[in-house]
Amino acid sequence: MVKQTIQIFARVKPTVRKQQQGIYSIDEDEKLTHSLEIVLPRDLADGFVNNKRESYKFKFQRIFDQEAKQEIIFEIIAKPVAESTLAGYNGTIFAYGQTGSGKTFTITGGAERYSDRGIIPRTLSYIFEQLQKDSSKIYTTHISYLEIYNECGYDLLDPRHEASKLEDLPKVTILEDPDQNIHLKNLSLHQATTEEEALNLLFLGDTNRMIAETPMNQASTRSHCIFTVHLSSKEPGSATVRHAKLHLVDLAGSERVSKTGVGGLLLTEAKYINLSLHYLEQVIIALSEKHRTHIPYRNSMMTSVLRDSLGGNCMTTMIATLSLEKRNIDESISTCRFAQRVALIKNEAILNEEIDPRLMIVRLQKEIEDLKAELAMATGEQRTEALTEAELLQLEKLIASYLEDQDPESRLEVGADMRKIHHCFHHFKKLLNDKKTLENTVSSESTRQACQEPLRDEEYTKLLGLLKQRDNEINILVNMLKKEKKKTQDALQNSSLEKSDTRPPQNSPFIAGSPAVPRTPFSSALSHAQDLSICKHRSSLLHKKTGMREEMSLGRQEAFEIFKRDHADSVTIEDNKQVLKQRFSEAKALGESINEARSKIGQLKDAINQRHLQQVALGISENTVPASMPDPQEEKLRAQLEEEKGRYKTAFMHLKALKVEIEHLQLLMDKAKVKLQKEFEAWWAEEATSLQVNSPATNLQDAVKPFPQQDQTQLLSKKSSQDLEVENEAGRLEVCDRNARRILPSPCSNQQSQEPSGSRVLVQDRPLSSIPLTGDSQTDSDILAFIKARQSILQKKCLGSN
């Protein structure tokens, strides 16, 4: 508990015009209190004796002269009260004085400069700064803003203020509980978690205040306003909560109607203001007298709201604002007398601590349950209500700890409540059933694993099907290689026949096994080296191209390469690739040009801004008005800026057009690739079908019988060796095919090509009966089928080019 009198301070308002010297003086020689002396000279102009006092002296804790800053006011007056509020004590700061003496400026502040902030915004900043520093407690802050206008209370933070008339808004009413605590109905509390939110609430309330212009003040507040900060703090794990309130009161100024001469609504407002201040003075006088038993708090709404602040549980501070001009001397003396009476009041501030209601409820509920259990044990009565969820959870924890305890002498203590005993037996039975169910599940799992053996046979059958598919692919590739090999041998034979003497090719049939041209060891070694290099190159290509055909096998990829090489759209795809590559390079160059232009535009803008700042700084330093003529350097920079903007726009439009063209080319290439893939799949399926019809079926009678792991390994190694043989054969075949292409002319040419060595014999122009054969019926039929297919492909190419 803190006992202290209400602290009083005085602040002198700066005068607009020059003040007479010697009208007041401040004595700061004393250690504890300062004194203010007001001198009122006698007026002898009327010709009669004036016996009025010439000097009035008043004591204050501190007197702030006209030069006092807002920061000093906050540090000396408001900061100690804010610190006591953070500690858990109630606090009040109110300003009292005549109209136009600076009460609102002191409490709220001015709007022109940041340094003119008043007590309220500075106090909010200080409170939230301290809350951020103190992390040992949990704080909650709420804000309320009450306005008392013509003895009626209104909530300044009501969102309906802007859209409704003052008469239509709900009025704040006072309610009193049996302990004589005041409660305000229709006054809203808004939580503020940051300083910004609290200041926004303050500014919202200030915009809704009643302000009018009077002869004494251009912006006179016509109502009393009470800005309240509600602060709650609690330490983690503690059961006590501290509550504190800080009232920051801006009272309306008293005024003499005879001096101001107001009328109408202003006169009504002045009467209510003077009446409420009169009741406030009555309360102050009653509190200053020791033997008064009745304090007239209920005479006005303001004194009812500030009951604790004026004579109760609060640390209160008063600021007397004085306007010490000659015409306002009487009102200033009256304000000082009021302050002297206020200084006689002594308040007793106590720490506002209470037990957390939620913890209190939990403790009382536990106590009730314990008492009920003891009563049931003493009387023997059975309880019929069901256990709560918390009780059931607590029992399950006790059972779990009891089962985990290895001590055979441990006990399960649940009390004499039969409901809890029955629940424990039920839980034990449930655990036993769960254990049996788990054992049954384990046995069924072992049975299921034993039944999984037939699934291995199914997997083995699937593997055999995959190997059969692999065999079909290898057979198709071997068939293709045989046909291509015969084609190249035929082409080499025709070349040797053209270089021979006068012997006609029809009269010398080709004999199987005899070479057309004798091969030397050097040529044999050279062709072998070419075959090896081509095979390596072909395998590397097959490893790199994994986009569309990554799911194909090696043989199927080799067939796809041959099919794509002979396809009519391969040239178109390559041309599109080259054009697309060129467009990409052009787009890259345009992007670099656009970035360069953008950077240059930013530099020019910075240069123009810098030039502006230099001109303004030069005008300020020389105290001259900037010239109205345009700056040549700035005009030059602007011209360069426009030029760069045009360049940027042109490049951007070109880049946009290139983007459309690139997207079109990519779409064409994608369509051509999809078409090529579909045609290859159709051709591949046709070849596979014909091979299955002409070749004998593979004997798979032993497929269902599983064979050892060694046989599987041998089978896979056999397939791998076959794949390697196919790849080597494909490499040698490509060399031969390239030579055959140089020998065989296009069937679409109408003229026979001539060479220096003489005329050539064309395979396409001769009848099929004149083609040299080997004598083997199967080989000869394959040769004739290949030549027919080759002629049809070349004719299709010719028609496509025409």
Side-chain angles (χ1 to χ4, degrees):
M1 180 183 296
V2 179
K3 293 183 179 182
Q4 68 174 14
T5 58
I6 297 178
Q7 305 294 306
I8 58 173
F9 298 87
R11 185 179 189 183
V12 180
K13 177 185 177 183
T15 57
V16 179
R17 52 185 177 272
K18 189 175 181 181
Q19 178 65 39
Q20 290 181 348
Q21 299 296 329
I23 196 171
Y24 75 95
S25 62
I26 300 174
D27 185 9
E28 299 181 356
D29 295 336
E30 301 182 17
K31 296 181 180 179
L32 298 178
T33 59
H34 296 185
S35 62
L36 173 66
E37 183 178 2
I38 301 176
V39 179
L40 185 62
R42 293 179 180 178
D43 190 2
L44 302 178
D46 295 337
F48 57 88
V49 178
N50 188 353
N51 292 326
K52 290 183 178 180
R53 290 176 57 181
E54 293 185 359
S55 176
Y56 297 87
K57 195 171 184 179
F58 305 99
K59 291 183 179 181
F60 294 91
Q61 265 76 23
R62 182 73 179 267
I63 301 172
F64 300 94
D65 208 350
Q66 300 180 16
E67 296 81 9
K69 302 296 183 183
Q70 295 281 70
E71 184 178 0
I72 302 298
I73 299 292
F74 169 74
E75 290 290 335
I76 297 177
I77 299 177
K79 188 175 180 180
V81 181
E83 290 176 350
S84 65
T85 303
L86 290 172
Y89 296 94
N90 294 334
T92 300
I93 301 174
F94 70 94
Y96 181 89
Q98 72 177 94
T99 180
S101 59
K103 299 182 299 300
T104 302
F105 181 81
T106 302
I107 296 296
T108 305
E112 296 180 358
R113 294 186 298 271
Y114 182 75
S115 59
D116 291 342
R117 292 180 303 155
I119 289 177
I120 296 179
R122 291 178 185 270
T123 303
L124 291 175
S125 301
Y126 177 77
I127 288 176
F128 282 100
E129 180 181 355
Q130 296 301 316
L131 296 186
Q132 290 181 356
K133 292 180 180 179
D134 188 7
S135 59
S136 62
K137 296 180 181 179
I138 302 173
Y139 289 94
T140 306
T141 307
H142 291 82
I143 303 295
S144 66
Y145 208 170
L146 172 66
E147 178 186 40
I148 302 175
Y149 175 72
N150 293 347
E151 281 301 311
C152 294
Y154 298 98
D155 184 8
L156 288 177
L157 301 181
D158 192 342
R160 295 170 289 182
H161 242 289
E162 297 180 359
S164 304
K165 295 181 181 180
L166 190 63
E167 295 80 7
D168 298 336
L169 293 174
K171 294 180 176 59
V172 177
T173 56
I174 298 176
L175 302 177
E176 187 174 351
D177 60 12
D179 296 332
Q180 294 185 352
N181 296 321
I182 298 298
H183 302 277
L184 300 176
K185 184 181 179 181
N186 296 328
L187 181 63
S188 59
L189 284 178
H190 297 264
Q191 185 174 2
T193 57
T194 60
E195 176 187 352
E196 182 181 0
E197 294 180 3
L199 290 177
N200 288 336
L201 294 173
L202 171 64
F203 298 151
L204 175 62
D206 287 341
T207 56
N208 295 329
R209 290 186 64 176
M210 296 298 297
I211 298 176
E213 182 179 357
T214 64
M216 298 291 291
N217 191 358
Q218 292 183 353
S220 175
T221 55
R222 313 304 294 170
S223 61
H224 309 296
C225 292
I226 303 174
F227 184 86
T228 307
V229 180
H230 302 263
L231 192 63
S232 301
S233 63
K234 178 185 177 182
E235 295 183 359
S238 176
T240 59
V241 181
R242 290 185 179 181
H243 299 284
K245 293 187 294 184
L246 176 59
H247 295 297
L248 301 173
V249 186
D250 180 17
L251 298 177
S254 62
E255 57 183 270
R256 293 186 177 180
V257 180
S258 61
K259 182 184 292 188
T260 58
V262 296
L265 181 60
L266 293 177
L267 178 59
T268 304
E269 294 172 348
K271 289 191 295 184
Y272 278 107
I273 291 171
N274 292 335
L275 182 62
S276 61
L277 293 177
H278 170 67
Y279 289 140
L280 175 62
E281 188 173 6
Q282 284 185 349
V283 171
I284 296 298
I285 293 172
L287 289 171
S288 61
E289 296 178 358
K290 294 182 179 180
H291 302 289
R292 289 287 294 268
T293 57
H294 173 68
I295 309 299
Y297 288 117
R298 295 188 181 91
N299 286 349
S300 68
M301 184 175 186
M302 181 181 63
T303 55
S304 298
V305 174
L306 299 178
R307 173 183 293 184
D308 286 340
S309 302
L310 297 176
N313 176 23
C314 188
M315 302 177 67
T316 308
T317 300
M318 172 188 168
I319 305 173
T321 57
L322 306 175
S323 178
L324 294 177
E325 296 182 1
K326 186 176 181 180
R327 59 174 182 169
N328 298 325
I329 288 295
D330 294 338
E331 288 82 356
S332 299
I333 293 174
S334 177
T335 300
C336 292
R337 287 173 176 170
F338 178 81
Q340 300 304 306
R341 287 192 290 268
V342 169
L344 299 176
I345 302 174
K346 182 178 290 186
N347 287 341
E348 296 180 357
I350 61 175
L351 193 62
N352 301 306
E353 285 186 342
E354 64 179 9
I355 300 177
D356 191 355
R358 291 174 295 181
L359 297 178
M360 179 66 74
I361 291 172
V362 172
R363 191 181 71 180
L364 292 177
Q365 287 178 347
K366 175 129 185 358
E367 186 177 353
I368 291 173
E369 291 297 325
D370 293 341
L371 292 174
K372 287 183 177 179
E374 292 180 4
L375 183 62
M377 184 190 301
T379 59
E381 296 180 358
Q382 298 295 329
R383 301 173 60 182
T384 57
E385 61 270 16
L387 295 173
T388 62
E389 293 293 334
E391 291 175 340
L392 294 176
L393 184 61
Q394 183 66 23
L395 283 175
E396 291 178 0
K397 289 181 180 179
L398 290 175
I399 293 172
S401 62
Y402 172 73
L403 293 176
E404 293 174 358
D405 193 359
Q406 302 296 329
D407 186 9
E409 300 296 330
S410 62
R411 294 183 179 182
L412 179 61
E413 299 290 343
V414 296
D417 193 349
M418 294 302 297
R419 299 175 302 165
K420 295 181 179 180
I421 295 174
H422 288 312
H423 178 76
C424 290
F425 278 109
H426 176 73
H427 193 75
F428 281 127
K429 185 177 181 180
K430 180 181 178 182
L431 291 177
L432 183 61
N433 292 334
D434 291 342
K435 185 177 181 181
K436 291 182 179 179
T437 304
L438 181 61
E439 292 177 355
N440 294 333
T441 305
V442 172
S443 61
S444 62
E445 183 69 21
S446 60
T447 306
R448 187 177 62 83
Q449 290 180 357
C451 296
Q452 283 183 349
E453 295 297 332
L455 296 179
R456 296 180 181 178
D457 297 339
E458 182 180 356
E459 186 177 353
Y460 172 72
T461 306
K462 183 179 179 181
L463 181 61
L464 284 179
L466 182 62
L467 291 176
K468 182 179 179 181
Q469 180 182 359
R470 184 69 173 174
D471 286 337
N472 292 335
E473 293 179 359
I474 292 174
N475 291 333
I476 292 174
L477 286 175
V478 170
N479 193 11
M480 287 179 61
L481 290 175
K482 286 182 180 180
K483 291 181 180 180
E484 293 290 333
K485 185 175 181 180
K486 291 179 182 180
K487 178 182 69 174
T488 54
Q489 289 178 357
D490 193 10
L492 291 175
Q493 180 184 3
N494 291 333
S495 177
S496 63
L497 290 177
E498 288 178 359
K499 294 181 180 179
S500 62
D501 295 329
T502 57
R503 185 173 52 185
Q506 291 86 353
N507 296 330
S508 78
F510 183 79
I511 301 174
S514 63
V517 178
R519 300 183 62 178
T520 62
F522 174 76
S523 63
S524 176
L526 180 62
S527 63
H528 184 64
Q530 290 177 349
D531 291 345
L532 289 177
S533 63
I534 292 173
C535 180
K536 291 180 180 179
H537 176 68
R538 179 74 58 150
S539 62
S540 65
L541 286 178
L542 292 175
H543 283 290
K544 288 181 181 178
K545 297 181 180 180
T546 59
M548 185 190 304
R549 302 177 304 278
E550 62 181 346
E551 73 277 1
M552 295 182 182
S553 61
L554 186 62
R556 203 168 175 184
Q557 292 179 8
E558 185 70 24
F560 182 81
E561 292 296 331
I562 298 173
F563 182 83
K564 184 175 73 173
R565 183 187 63 196
D566 295 337
H567 198 274
D569 293 340
S570 61
V571 178
T572 305
I573 294 175
E574 292 298 327
D575 292 341
N576 288 340
K577 283 184 179 179
Q578 295 299 326
V579 174
L580 188 61
K581 187 176 181 181
Q582 182 180 0
R583 294 296 181 268
F584 271 122
S585 61
E586 292 178 4
K588 183 179 180 181
L590 279 176
E592 295 176 355
S593 176
I594 288 173
N595 291 333
E596 182 181 356
R598 184 184 301 166
S599 177
K600 190 67 176 297
I601 288 172
Q603 294 176 2
L604 289 173
K605 286 184 178 180
D606 293 340
I608 292 173
N609 293 334
Q610 189 68 23
R611 185 64 181 171
H612 278 171
L613 293 176
Q614 291 176 359
Q615 293 294 331
V616 173
L618 183 61
I620 293 174
S621 61
E622 296 179 357
N623 197 12
T624 58
V625 180
S628 59
M629 297 296 292
D631 186 11
Q633 186 175 356
E634 183 179 346
E635 292 296 329
K636 183 179 178 181
L637 291 174
R638 290 189 180 278
Q640 293 179 3
L641 180 62
E642 294 298 328
E643 182 180 353
E644 289 297 330
K645 284 183 177 180
R647 176 186 167 196
Y648 175 85
K649 186 175 181 181
T650 303
F652 183 80
M653 296 303 294
H654 193 186
L655 181 62
K656 191 174 181 181
L658 271 179
K659 181 181 178 183
V660 175
E661 185 176 356
I662 287 172
E663 291 178 353
H664 181 66
L665 286 173
Q666 288 178 342
L667 181 62
L668 291 178
M669 289 185 62
D670 293 340
K671 289 183 177 180
K673 290 179 180 179
V674 171
K675 178 182 176 184
L676 183 65
Q677 180 71 12
K678 289 182 178 180
E679 291 180 359
F680 170 74
E681 294 294 339
W683 176 81
W684 180 266
E686 183 180 355
E687 288 293 329
T689 304
S690 62
L691 181 63
Q692 291 177 359
V693 172
N694 296 329
S695 61
T698 306
N699 189 9
L700 296 176
Q701 295 178 357
D702 299 333
V704 296
K705 297 181 179 180
F707 49 83
Q709 184 68 24
Q710 296 179 358
D711 296 341
Q712 296 181 8
T713 306
Q714 293 176 3
L715 180 61
L716 293 176
S717 63
K718 178 180 178 181
K719 296 303 178 183
S720 300
S721 62
Q722 289 179 0
D723 292 344
L724 181 62
E725 181 182 356
V726 170
E727 291 179 4
N728 296 333
E729 188 66 24
R732 289 192 296 272
L733 178 60
E734 184 177 283
V735 178
C736 299
D737 183 56
R738 194 181 299 115
N739 295 331
R741 285 187 178 185
R742 288 198 296 265
I743 295 171
L744 297 176
S746 173
C748 62
S749 176
N750 294 327
Q751 300 178 357
Q752 293 182 354
S753 60
Q754 297 182 359
E755 295 183 359
S757 61
S759 61
R760 280 196 283 177
V761 180
L762 304 178
V763 178
Q764 296 92 323
D765 297 337
R766 292 186 299 170
L768 296 177
S769 59
S770 62
I771 301 299
L773 303 177
T774 60
D776 187 4
S777 60
Q778 181 65 29
T779 305
D780 295 343
S781 62
D782 291 339
I783 291 174
L784 294 178
F786 169 74
I787 293 175
K788 288 182 180 181
R790 186 68 177 175
Q791 288 179 353
S792 63
I793 292 174
L794 294 176
Q795 287 176 3
K796 289 180 181 179
K797 285 186 177 180
C798 180
L799 293 176
S801 63
N802 292 334

